[in-house]
């Protein structure tokens, strides 16, 4: 055999790699095990499908990186375990001025960074300012209402606002506002984030890129007796079947993202718990109102009513979830499930079609991510359901990055997508979803209802929870009436753990506090 | 002997245009993919503004030919560029991933020889016999089984049922690596063996029918010594080419195996960097794989030359 095939073989190898797709990413759910007396020591090993990318809290958007940095750097306030309230964390409390423009925050005494330096207001000011500066490519937009942060005295921080802003405390609970040493402890940002230092229960140890990341216990942690674990390791295990076998065999303690289809068999495995936790995830169909006929509310309503959500929950989530009935998920503060969102009603859908600009039906397409089995199943079911009301729907698959590009360019008819919250305040999502100036043209739908935008703005400035509830109920009602999205389902977070893992709890925001977790022998 | 290896320098020089061609193809093919690293990095909150800002920050808004020239200029200084995803030198990522994949391939090659040589001999000594049928049956089944399925089956049997091996991962010490890599290497070996067995079996049959084997037999040589001294060496010659070409393709096959067995090798790095549009890493990995295939080609010829004194590659090159 002669070899002129060198280039060909190399090209084939490259082409194989290019053609190979199939990394699905989904998010998991559960209940904390009953706690007896915690056991000190031991190492916890988790496995997830993708590696961490960076520890820079201000510019990193992938969930795995965020989960790790949350163990190292802590914010002033923390979402409660049920995700609806905010608890003081590195702060002990705050007061608001009468004009609602000045927040005075008291810091917790006796907290030190893992290197032993005490935390002062100068560190807090530096940390928040650092985040604010990244407004163009990072999380800085979350601090848009902040005018000025002042270190009033070593234990007091004053935050002046440009305008009244109710979500401020929730914003401060975001990991991007986590507290790090002033001036990066004398390092450059780049140096600092290769081995970040914070007040969290664990400290940076080692990262083998593409393979594993390890943190060790912070012996100076401010919560007495915690953390219980000596060490936490996250392994990169791309294949869901492999992760499942690893947790069943006890090689790992926690499988971060078991497949929906594997939950039943995991539940029946000896020594394994399949945990589900309520999430804030809403899966939805976005209608591109720049394209006819999706500018017609009757068309949007007809499609919304043609979708059998219970069937989706069964087929896609294997029964682990619920039909979506609002723009907000049940884990989001001010959620209201009785705001008239569309439910499955074929006759109603046909009636809406008759009232629409296309009574005889039309042809369209649904954009989904390739390699995402959930979206694939949704698309196939919808295709059959829309046929019932005279709509011919083509399924258009693009890999996740290409898919995002198409949505950003408004190059789609309908698209499947999902949202999860990072802070316990609905504004993060509502401003993105209903305000065309929220950065995304109303989550790429070009939905523009001045009434809804006005309600959203009012709710941002209202600090009274009862009044905010009224406003957000109005907002959810109007959004449902406009049917700018078709809400599909709420899915829980799913984790599979061995029965040795105790007190592993995930909040509706997706974060978990590993200082509370321990392993029985 | 050595004078017959004169072809190596020429072959190495020939590999330069090959490498250049590979960089050109990969660079422009990668950029045909829609979207860029900025989109991949910004997650669900990506807005047109933030994507544009990050695109500029990463230098991805420059004209493609300019980006390619920058890439080439860096390459001449031995610099493969910086990963857009990890913000570390691509060479750092390669240094970590290359040993994993090379160890896997070498291990698989050794295991496949352990499987193939006895089976091929078993089949060839009595063509058409029941053992031959059995071996040929095995090669058919072996070729038909998808690698990921074989991998999962091996995991289920040896790692889950009998707990002899770990379920994926790479381990930390050298001994660990040998232990952790056994099942993935065996998976690759099983998929590679049928081709080797078939090639080896048919050439063994030819050799066994040849006159010089008849002569050896008449001189009293039989069994293992006949096999080692006269059959295997001659029958191995065509098989060496088959293995050489297959090793190139195996690099592609290891992508799947690395995923199933959670190995942090080149395949995993390649797939991740394609999804995240981390072009410098894609280019680095591809360039490495291309050069690897070139080197395997040269090594194949070296072995070929050693085994068969009649072969003179330097003549082949000149022709």
């Amino acid at each position: 055999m002669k070899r002129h095939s060198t280039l060909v073989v190399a090209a084939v190898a490259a082409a194989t790699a290019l053609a190979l797709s199939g990394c699905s990413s989904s998010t998991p759910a559960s209940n904390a095990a009953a706690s007896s007396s915690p056991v000190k020591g031991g190492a916890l090993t988790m496995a997830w499908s993708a590696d961490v990318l960076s520890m820079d809290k201000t510019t990193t958007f992938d969930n795995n990186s965020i989960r790790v940095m949350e163990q190292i750097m802590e914010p002033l306030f923390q979402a409660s375990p049920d995700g609806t309230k905010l608890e003081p964390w590195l702060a002990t409390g705050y007061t608001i001025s009468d004009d609602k423009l000045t927040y005075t925050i008291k810091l917790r005494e006796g907290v030190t960074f893992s290197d032993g330096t005490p935390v002062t207001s100068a560190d807090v000011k530096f940390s928040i300012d650092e985040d604010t500066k990244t407004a163009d490519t990072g999380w800085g937009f979350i601090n848009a209402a902040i005018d000025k942060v002042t270190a009033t005295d070593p234990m007091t921080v004053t935050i002046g606002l440009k305008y009244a802003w109710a979500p401020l405390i929730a914003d401060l609970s975001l990991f991007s506002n986590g507290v790090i040493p002033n001036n990066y402890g004398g390092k450059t940002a780049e140096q600092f984030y290769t081995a970040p230092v914070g007040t969290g229960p664990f400290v940076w140890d080692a990262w083998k890129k593409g393979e594993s990341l390890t943190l060790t216990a912070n012996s100076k942690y401010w919560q007495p007796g915690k953390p219980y674990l000596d060490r936490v390791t996250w392994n990169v295990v791309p294949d869901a079947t492999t992760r499942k076998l690893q947790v069943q065999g006890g090689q790992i303690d926690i499988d971060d993202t078991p497949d929906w289809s594997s939950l039943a068999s995991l539940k029946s495995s000896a020594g394994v718990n399949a945990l589900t936790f309520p999430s804030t995830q809403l899966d939805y169909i976005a209608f591109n109102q720049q394209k006819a006929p999706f500018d017609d509310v009757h068309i949007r309503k007809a499609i919304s009513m043609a979708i059998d959500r219970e069937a989706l929950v069964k087929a896609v989530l294997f029964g682990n979830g619920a039909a979506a009935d609002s723009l907000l998920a049940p884990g989001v503060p001010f959620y209201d499930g009785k705001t008239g969102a569309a439910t499955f009603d074929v006759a109603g859908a046909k009636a809406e079609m008759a009232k629409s600009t296309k009574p005889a039906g039309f042809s369209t397409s649904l954009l989904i991510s390739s390699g995402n089995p959930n979206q694939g199943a949704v698309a196939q079911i919808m295709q059959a359901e829309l046929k019932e009301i005279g709509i011919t729907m083509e399924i258009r698959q693009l890999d996740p990055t290409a898919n995002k590009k198409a949505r950003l360019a408004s190059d789609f008819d309908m698209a499947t997508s999902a949202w999860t919250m990072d802070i316990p305040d609905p504004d993060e999502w509502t401003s993105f979803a209903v305000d065309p100036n929220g950065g995304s043209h109303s989550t790429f739908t070009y939905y523009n209802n001045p009434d809804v935008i006005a309600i959203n703005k009012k709710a941002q400035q209202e600090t009274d929870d009862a009044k905010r509830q009224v406003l957000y109920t109005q907002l959810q009602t109007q959004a449902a009436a406009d049917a700018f999205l078709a809400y599909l389902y709420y899915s829980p977070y799913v984790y599979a753990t061995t029965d040795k893992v105790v007190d592993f709890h995930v909040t509706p925001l997706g974060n978990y506090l590993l200082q509370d977790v321990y392993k029985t022998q | 002997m050595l004078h017959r290896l004169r072809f190596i320098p020429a072959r190495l020089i020939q590999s330069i245009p090959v490498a250049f061609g590979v960089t050109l193809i990969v660079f422009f093919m990668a950029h045909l993919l829609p979207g860029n690293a900025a989109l991949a990095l910004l997650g669900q909150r990506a807005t047109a503004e933030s994507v544009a800002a990050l695109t500029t920050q990463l230098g991805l808004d420059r004209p493609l030919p300019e980006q390619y020239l920058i890439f080439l200029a860096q390459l001449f200084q031995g610099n493969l560029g910086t990963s857009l995803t990890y913000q570390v030198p691509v060479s750092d990522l390669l240094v970590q991933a290359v040993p994993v994949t090379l160890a896997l391939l070498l291990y698989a090659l050794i295991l496949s020889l352990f499987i193939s040589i006895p089976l091929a001999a078993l089949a060839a000594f009595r063509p058409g016999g029941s053992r031959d049928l059995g071996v040929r049956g095995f090669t058919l089944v072996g070729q038909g089984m998808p690698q990921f399925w074989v991998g999962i089956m091996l995991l289920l049997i040896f790692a889950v049922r009998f707990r002899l091996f770990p379920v994926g991962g790479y381990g930390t010490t050298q001994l660990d690596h040998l232990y952790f890599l056994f099942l993935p290497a065996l998976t690759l070996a099983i998929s590679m063996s049928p081709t080797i067995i078939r090639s080896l079996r048919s050439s063994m049959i030819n050799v066994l029918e040849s006159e010089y084997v008849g002569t050896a037999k008449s001189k009293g040589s039989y069994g293992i010594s006949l096999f080692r001294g006269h059959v295997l060496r001659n029958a191995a010659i065509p098989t060496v080419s088959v293995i050489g070409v297959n090793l190139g393709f195996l690099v592609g096959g290891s992508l799947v195996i690395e995923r199933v067995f959670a190995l942090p090798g080149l395949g995993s790095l390649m797939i991740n960097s394609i999804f995240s549009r981390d072009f410098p890493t894609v280019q680095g990995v591809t360039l490495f794989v291309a050069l690897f295939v070139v080197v395997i080609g040269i090594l194949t010829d070296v072995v070929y030359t050693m085994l068969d004194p009649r072969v003179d590659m330097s003549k082949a090159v000149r022709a």
Side-chain angles (χ1 to χ4, degrees), chain A residues 1-3 5-24 49-54 59-62 135-139 141 190 207-211 236-243 245-246 248-251 370 398-406 408 418-422 428 432 438-441 444, chain B residues 11 18 21-22 25-26 29-30 33-36 39-51 53-54 57 85-86 88 93 96 152 155-156 160 163 165-172 180 241-242 245 248-249 251-252 255-256 258-262 264 268 270-272 274-277 282 286 289-290 293-294 297-298 300-301 304 316:
Chain A
M1 192 141 194
K2 302 213 62 176
R3 116 178 5 74
S5 52
T6 310
L7 184 60
V8 177
V9 174
V12 168
T16 312
L18 285 167
L20 251 171
S21 72
C23 287
S24 68
S49 61
D51 197 12
V52 159
L53 301 181
S54 163
T59 54
T60 305
F61 288 85
D62 75 290
D136 52 347
T137 58
W139 287 96
F141 65 86
E190 208 173 305
W207 181 16
K208 288 189 221 161
K209 293 187 182 70
E211 185 177 354
V236 180
V237 181
D239 191 71
T241 309
T242 311
R243 287 197 303 275
L245 297 178
Q246 287 187 338
Q248 284 173 330
Q251 190 172 328
S370 56
L398 290 175
D399 89 296
T401 302
N403 180 310
K404 214 185 292 170
K405 183 182 162 86
L408 242 64
W419 181 268
T420 53
M421 304 290 294
D422 295 280
E428 187 196 9
F432 195 86
S440 69
H441 306 289
F444 312 113
Chain B
R11 203 42 84 61
V18 171
V22 167
I25 293 171
V26 171
M29 256 179 78
L33 290 169
N36 65 20
L39 264 171
L41 285 169
L42 285 169
Q44 67 174 357
R45 273 124 193 103
T47 62
E49 292 75 32
S50 64
V51 170
L54 192 57
Q57 200 176 312
T85 312
Y86 285 121
V88 298
L93 298 177
Q96 218 175 312
I152 289 174
L155 277 179
L156 280 173
V160 178
R163 306 239 165 154
F165 293 96
V167 186
Y170 185 53
T172 43
F180 277 73
S241 309
V242 171
V245 172
F249 283 105
V251 180
L255 303 186
V256 177
E258 286 179 14
R259 185 178 158 87
V260 171
F261 288 92
S268 308
M270 183 73 162
I271 291 178
N272 290 335
I274 289 171
F275 276 119
S276 54
R277 306 292 191 266
V282 175
T286 320
V289 172
V293 171
V294 169
I298 295 173
T300 309
D301 284 346
Y304 211 84

Side-chain angles (χ1 to χ4, degrees), chain A residues 100-423:
Chain A
K100 297 180 185 171
L101 290 177
T102 308
Y103 283 61
T104 306
I105 300 170
K106 282 278 171 208
L107 303 185
R108 189 178 294 279
E109 299 279 345
V111 178
T112 67
F113 291 108
S114 56
D115 62 7
T117 335
V119 175
T120 68
S121 55
D123 302 311
V124 174
K125 173 181 162 52
F126 175 77
S127 305
I128 298 173
D129 286 348
E130 184 217 18
D131 190 24
T132 311
K133 275 181 212 150
T134 63
D136 52 347
T137 58
W139 287 96
F141 65 86
I142 208 100
N143 291 350
I146 295 178
D147 178 38
K148 197 168 187 271
V149 183
T150 317
T152 320
D153 69 54
M155 287 288 117
T156 311
V157 178
T158 311
I159 298 181
L161 298 180
K162 297 173 189 160
Y163 37 83
W165 185 251
L168 179 74
I169 297 299
D171 292 343
L172 292 179
S173 78
L174 190 69
F175 52 86
S176 68
N177 280 322
V179 178
I180 57 171
N182 187 10
N183 236 349
Y184 304 113
K187 296 180 181 145
T188 65
E190 208 173 305
Q191 287 166 344
F192 177 81
Y193 283 118
T194 56
V197 171
T199 63
F202 293 91
V203 298
W204 185 258
D205 184 25
W207 181 16
K208 288 189 221 161
K209 293 187 182 70
E211 185 177 354
S212 67
L213 192 150
T214 302
L215 305 181
T216 51
N218 173 9
S219 59
K220 301 188 176 69
Y221 191 53
W222 56 274
Q223 292 186 30
K226 292 182 185 177
Y228 304 117
L229 297 162
D230 292 334
R231 199 173 326 114
V232 183
T233 302
W234 287 267
N235 289 337
V236 180
V237 181
D239 191 71
T241 309
T242 311
R243 287 197 303 275
K244 180 186 166 195
L245 297 178
Q246 287 187 338
V247 77
Q248 284 173 330
Q251 190 172 328
I252 57 169
D253 300 299
I254 301 178
D255 172 2
D256 180 85
T257 26
D259 273 349
W260 294 109
S261 58
S262 70
L263 273 195
S265 75
L266 278 167
K267 274 180 190 158
S268 61
S269 300
V272 176
N273 295 326
L275 307 175
T276 58
F277 303 92
S279 83
T280 53
Q281 180 163 334
L282 166 70
D283 280 74
Y284 61 86
I285 303 287
F287 301 110
N288 184 357
Q289 296 195 18
Q290 284 208 313
K291 290 205 177 174
F294 296 106
D295 50 347
D296 178 353
V297 66
H298 297 297
I299 295 284
R300 301 197 300 265
K301 276 190 174 162
I303 294 174
S304 260
M305 292 164 86
I307 300 171
D308 182 354
R309 290 164 182 75
E310 302 294 341
L312 290 183
V313 170
K314 267 194 207 124
V316 180
L317 307 177
F318 290 79
N320 299 283
D325 51 15
S326 165
L327 178 63
L328 303 180
V332 181
F334 311 117
Y335 156 80
D336 189 336
K338 295 187 184 63
T339 47
T343 52
F344 181 44
D345 173 5
V346 179
K350 285 181 176 161
E352 288 292 342
M353 282 298 281
K355 280 188 261 175
S356 76
T357 49
K358 299 269 183 189
F362 61 99
S363 289
T364 185
S365 70
L366 175 70
L367 176 63
I368 65 172
S369 281
S370 56
N372 183 323
N374 295 357
Q375 294 190 359
V378 166
Q380 288 187 358
I381 293 171
M382 259 183 78
Q383 195 173 39
E385 288 170 342
L386 294 194
K387 211 170 179 70
E388 292 283 301
I389 59 168
I391 300 173
T392 310
M393 188 190 92
E394 181 200 330
I395 300 171
R396 188 173 158 221
Q397 297 201 37
L398 290 175
D399 89 296
T401 302
N403 180 310
K404 214 185 292 170
K405 183 182 162 86
R407 279 187 289 139
L408 242 64
S410 191
D411 169 24
F412 69 95
D413 299 323
M414 296 187 282
T416 48
S417 191
W419 181 268
T420 53
M421 304 290 294
D422 295 280
I423 57 170

Side-chain angles (χ1 to χ4, degrees), chain B residues 168-251:
Chain B
Y170 185 53
T172 43
T173 64
Q174 298 288 343
L175 263 182
D176 267 7
H177 298 336
L178 276 184
Y179 177 52
F180 277 73
L181 283 177
F182 182 78
L183 288 184
L186 185 62
T187 311
L188 276 184
I190 288 175
S191 76
M192 198 179 171
S193 301
T195 320
I196 302 180
I197 292 173
R198 288 164 72 141
S199 152
L200 209 50
R201 173 186 166 277
S202 66
S203 49
M204 276 181 183
I205 291 173
N206 282 336
V207 171
L208 282 168
E209 285 167 354
S210 67
E211 288 174 0
Y212 58 83
V213 170
T215 310
K217 277 185 184 166
S218 65
K219 286 164 76 182
S221 178
Y222 65 99
I224 299 283
S225 78
L226 173 76
F227 180 73
R228 276 215 325 243
H230 301 278
V231 179
L232 183 58
R233 181 161 172 168
N234 288 305
I237 295 167
T239 307
V240 166
S241 309
V242 171
I243 294 175
V245 172
N246 264 298
L247 267 181
F249 283 105
L250 262 199
V251 180

